[in-house]
Amino acid sequence: MLKVSVKCSFFTVFIIFFGCSDPEEQHFETESQHVKDSISEVRIDSAFSAITINCDTLMVYQVPKMVDSFFKKPGLLQAFFKNNNKYSDADKKVEKVIRELQADCDSNLLKETYRIIRLRQKLKRVRHKR
């Protein structure tokens, strides 16, 4: 019975000592997390604007080149997307969002390229022999 009460009192003191923390410490952790989140938001916003501008530029200048290269050598189109640099960052949340934005841009470029290719193929007149 004595061993049980000693163990119970030890665990009670342990829980009280480590379970109750300073409110200032919690406030500091919350403030620190808020600062980290705001920095991440700023970095994501700046990356979003840079990726959007880059994607728009590629849409205007690179898509016609990709369409022309498709008719010459179809393998060159996939080489463009394989050569893109992969983004890496210490903050995994920022890295994940930026990679998703870049993948969305690449997807839009590819869709636009194939849309133009299909339109060009439809515009060609085909003569049917009778």
Side-chain angles (χ1 to χ4, degrees):
M1 182 72 172
L2 182 61
K3 289 182 182 179
V4 173
S5 62
V6 170
K7 287 181 183 178
C8 182
S9 63
F10 174 74
F11 285 121
T12 305
V13 170
F14 181 77
I15 290 171
I16 290 172
F17 183 71
F18 289 108
C20 299
S21 61
D22 258 350
E24 291 179 12
E25 184 178 311
Q26 289 177 351
H27 179 68
F28 178 73
E29 290 174 7
T30 307
E31 188 67 30
S32 173
Q33 186 64 33
H34 179 68
V35 169
K36 288 179 184 176
D37 288 343
S38 65
I39 291 172
S40 296
E41 285 178 17
V42 169
R43 292 177 68 198
I44 289 172
D45 289 341
S46 65
F48 175 76
S49 63
I51 289 172
T52 303
I53 291 169
N54 186 29
C55 193
D56 291 342
T57 304
L58 289 175
M59 195 72 76
V60 172
Y61 297 108
Q62 189 67 31
V63 168
K65 290 179 184 177
M66 290 191 300
V67 170
D68 292 338
S69 72
F70 179 80
F71 288 114
K72 295 175 185 173
K73 293 181 182 178
L76 292 177
L77 185 62
Q78 295 301 323
F80 172 77
F81 294 105
K82 289 181 183 177
N83 290 338
N84 283 345
N85 295 331
K86 297 296 180 188
Y87 182 80
S88 62
D89 194 348
D91 189 1
K92 296 300 177 188
K93 179 173 60 173
V94 173
E95 179 179 347
K96 180 181 176 185
V97 171
I98 291 175
R99 283 189 180 188
E100 288 175 359
L101 289 171
Q102 189 63 44
D104 187 44
C105 176
D106 291 345
S107 172
N108 289 339
L109 286 173
L110 200 57
K111 285 179 189 176
E112 184 67 19
T113 302
Y114 284 130
R115 186 185 71 79
I116 292 173
I117 289 170
R118 275 187 257 121
L119 285 175
R120 282 191 183 178
Q121 287 175 345
K122 285 181 183 178
L123 292 177
K124 290 182 181 178
R125 294 184 181 191
V126 178
R127 290 190 169 197
H128 296 288
K129 293 182 180 178
R130 294 186 192 185

